[in-house]
Amino acid sequence: MSPRSLPHYLVVADDLSGAADCAAGFASAGLSTSVLLDAQASAGAQGDVAVLTVDTNSRRDTAAEAAAKLQAVLAAPASQGRRVLKKIDSTLRGGWAQEVAVLQSALHAIALVAPAFPQMGRTMQGGVVYVHGVRLADTATWQLEHADRDDRAAQQLQAAGLRCDNLPASLLDAGPEATAQAIANAREQGVQALVLDVLHDQHLQTLAQASLQIEQAFCVCSAGLSHALAQQVQPVSALAASLDVPHAAGRLPSVVTVVGSMSAIAQQQLAYLAEQPQTRLHVVPPGCLRSDVQTTQGQTLVQPLVQTLVQTISDEVAQGLDVVVSLGADAQTDPAEGPMLARQLARLLHAPMAGAAGLVITGGETARAVLEELQLRSLRVHSESEPGVVLCITENQDIEQDTRRQWIATKAGAFGHPASLQRASRAIHSLLAAQTPGGRTDTAPTESKQR
């Protein structure tokens, strides 16, 4: 297929790190791409942005709450005339099927459901997601969060009221024209959601090409298909050259990394960071953040510890050191309290995060909590330090002074290499060095790490 101009897209995601990950594919093709935190932010967004990505923060919402958010996003002026792409988690977390049903009803289009991301070990066969060859239902994450739910995508969509069918990988092997014809046939037969098997990247390329041939269709996918869609256009000149990048003036050349994910991969990345020079590591016990410590007795016990920790972190940022703060775990740890702990952690770290030149944040709920605490509602996607780790620039309309802007890197908690967070931090330092006279951000001699 010859290179073409993609339609302007509205990408709707249910968590922030996933929204950024999906948007990064389009940014890598040189398309102007913004990530917004809510429908209110999208109401004032620039209509000329090629790809507008909105995080509805709806992964834990009821069906009614999620539907209201989706309808608000669709009604925003900046959303009009755009082709919709629904970003979902590659392991089917959250109420994604109910959201697809809302969009299908509003758009009167067939949903092309392809959560696979082969580059990240997520494939789909027989309508079932596999994670590095393990069926989704047999993974630890699924058993922890969704043990009582059917892991088959079609069954979840049918439970949400949609008529579904499955398209095998063998049909994708026949090429984009045959795939487009199969999609058109399914739509004519009344299918509202078509689940597609995807075993490798070429299947995603075929689906991307086929989807562009069908007007009354919208993609429901992880970042895998969004990257494949972006590859259908000829890359333009380096995106960084066209962006109004922020300068480090007025900020300390420190990068603060916040780890809110409890995944095994995130813990490996944390351990790797702890071994780096000019880096300080702090683990915040969740007991310090729970609501039961807000009582007078609880504050008496915990407040001195918290105040000392915050002062230590602020002092380290003032010295130009990189600081890593991780949410710890204890016997009472419950996945359901994740959003509350993320908000409390962000509130605790407000001062050092606001003063740093860059932030690296892993975990979608943690990323949103940090941005909300810093009153940041919009990010312009710049690039990736590696697949799944997205570098952004803050771009709030109510911020007039360029010196207040920051580099932000986001990453989903359960992805990546042990060195991924460290690479993101170094990428931010490299960007800062490129903007600093003399090209240096070194500030302090190497010191022993605090554990």
Side-chain angles (χ1 to χ4, degrees), residues 431-447:
L431 290 166
L432 291 169
Q435 302 157 215
T436 304
R440 293 183 60 84
T441 59
D442 297 338
T443 58
T446 301
E447 302 179 35

Side-chain angles (χ1 to χ4, degrees), residues 277-358:
Q278 288 187 249
T279 301
R280 298 292 185 270
L281 169 65
H282 302 276
V283 178
V284 180
C288 295
L289 305 175
R290 292 192 177 96
S291 57
D292 57 4
V293 305
Q294 304 305 314
T295 63
T296 301
Q297 181 180 5
Q299 288 180 355
T300 301
L301 294 172
V302 173
Q303 198 167 41
L305 173 64
V306 170
Q307 289 176 340
T308 300
L309 176 62
V310 173
Q311 186 60 56
T312 299
I313 294 171
S314 297
D315 291 345
E316 290 165 352
V317 170
Q319 296 172 44
L321 300 171
D322 285 348
V323 178
V324 183
V325 183
S326 172
L327 180 62
D330 59 21
Q332 301 177 49
T333 298
D334 180 352
E337 66 178 358
M340 178 276 293
L341 293 176
R343 288 191 299 270
Q344 293 290 78
L345 183 63
R347 190 171 298 122
L348 185 76
L349 299 175
H350 180 105
M353 291 191 306

Side-chain angles (χ1 to χ4, degrees), residues 229-259:
L229 282 166
Q231 291 169 20
Q232 304 312 305
V233 297
Q234 206 166 32
V236 299
S237 58
L239 180 62
S242 65
L243 287 177
D244 177 24
V245 296
H247 298 285
R251 290 190 181 277
L252 298 164
S254 297
V255 174
V256 173
T257 298
V258 184
V259 181

Side-chain angles (χ1 to χ4, degrees), residues 45 209 342:
Q209 294 172 32

Side-chain angles (χ1 to χ4, degrees), residues 65-215:
E65 291 169 338
K69 290 179 178 179
L70 284 173
Q71 290 160 358
V73 171
L74 293 176
S79 300
Q80 306 310 305
R82 294 179 180 271
R83 188 153 185 166
V84 173
L85 184 152
K86 177 69 178 85
K87 164 66 174 68
I88 64 173
D89 182 69
S90 62
T91 57
L92 306 182
R93 291 187 294 168
W96 67 277
Q98 290 83 0
E99 294 193 32
V100 172
V102 172
L103 290 172
Q104 194 280 327
S105 177
L107 301 173
H108 305 291
I110 186 171
L112 307 179
V113 183
F117 197 170
Q119 188 178 13
M120 293 297 182
R122 272 68 168 168
T123 58
M124 196 159 197
Q125 187 169 14
V128 174
V129 172
Y130 288 83
V131 181
H132 296 291
V134 178
R135 179 169 176 156
L136 181 60
D138 296 328
T139 63
T141 301
W142 186 268
Q143 292 177 2
L144 177 64
E145 299 183 11
H146 302 303
D148 59 342
R149 184 190 298 183
D150 195 315
D151 70 334
R152 293 171 295 176
Q155 275 60 33
Q156 294 185 46
L157 290 162
Q158 288 168 358
L162 294 176
R163 183 179 177 186
C164 300
D165 200 356
N166 178 256
L167 201 66
S170 58
L171 204 151
L172 287 168
D173 289 332
E177 286 72 25
T179 302
Q181 186 60 56
I183 294 170
N185 291 343
R187 186 172 182 274
E188 290 175 2
Q189 294 167 11
V191 173
Q192 297 168 309
L194 190 60
V195 178
L196 296 107
D197 286 351
V198 170
L199 303 180
H200 47 69
D201 287 340
Q202 185 55 50
H203 285 154
L204 288 180
Q205 293 291 331
T206 298
L207 177 55
Q209 294 172 32
S211 72
L212 293 172
Q213 300 178 37
I214 307 294
E215 289 295 329

